[in-house]
Amino acid sequence: MQPSVRGIDHFGITVPDIEQATLFFEKAFAAKVIYRSADPGSENIDDEAQENTLRLFPGTKVRAIRMLAMPHGPGIELFEMHGPEQQSAARPSDFGLQHFAVYVDDFASTIACFTAAGGEMFTEPKPLSFPAERGEGNAFCYGKTPWGSVVELISWPSPMPYEKFTNLRRWKP
């Protein structure tokens, strides 16, 4: 039996300030709020149910939740939570999800929007260097959001060498 997976629907990201994070994604990536599951001060959050459902650290309070639409691809669900023993954003060397990648057509304009929104770039765009990914104009760079989540900007306008050996393809917006 095969699972009936179609693709990634959304990513959930815990942020320290949902308003700041929403504004960041709007400015950096032209994301739009689809809906607000719960706003700050909302009475419709059952913290005990959230704690059990998501296996949150005991005592964590969910302050707000909203779903954003990116111009193309999966959505981003933002969670503002506060609780005991809360840690900073994971580094790429830590276990768990280490980054998400956003496909871009124009690095310069995307980097300008990303940094104007409060993000910090680690590098300038550089060529994809793994043999399976190389190609004219294929490039990437990394940065972080104001709260420390790592984001990759990537573009591959040229076919990748791996495509010669399999019918499987990376998803491309």
Side-chain angles (χ1 to χ4, degrees), residues 4-151:
S4 63
V5 175
R6 295 173 110 196
I8 293 175
D9 178 75
H10 69 274
F11 295 95
I13 303 173
T14 301
V15 299
D17 180 323
I18 203 158
E19 298 304 332
Q20 176 201 42
T22 301
L23 189 59
F24 173 79
F25 282 109
E26 288 172 342
K27 287 182 172 182
F29 300 128
K32 300 203 180 312
V33 175
I34 303 173
Y35 57 87
R36 299 163 190 267
S37 299
D39 275 324
S42 173
E43 298 294 322
N44 68 342
I45 297 176
D46 181 341
D47 285 314
E48 186 176 329
Q50 291 291 325
E51 188 175 305
N52 291 329
T53 301
L54 294 170
R55 303 295 190 259
L56 303 176
F57 190 87
T60 298
K61 303 291 183 204
V62 179
R63 185 166 181 260
I65 306 169
R66 63 182 61 147
M67 183 66 76
L68 307 181
M70 295 288 281
H72 304 283
I76 296 175
E77 188 174 22
L78 299 176
F79 292 81
E80 181 178 332
M81 299 185 207
H82 300 281
E85 296 196 26
Q86 201 162 24
Q87 300 175 10
S88 300
R91 295 168 305 212
S93 57
D94 294 331
F95 293 118
L97 297 174
Q98 58 160 274
H99 75 276
F100 65 94
V102 177
Y103 191 96
V104 303
D105 292 316
D106 179 347
F107 280 104
S109 66
T110 304
I111 290 169
C113 291
F114 188 87
T115 56
E120 175 191 335
M121 295 307 302
F122 299 158
T123 65
E124 292 293 319
K126 55 186 178 180
L128 289 170
S129 58
F130 291 120
E133 300 175 330
R134 290 180 185 147
E136 184 66 34
N138 296 355
F140 74 105
C141 58
Y142 284 95
K144 70 176 180 175
T145 64
W147 58 91
S149 294
V150 177
V151 180

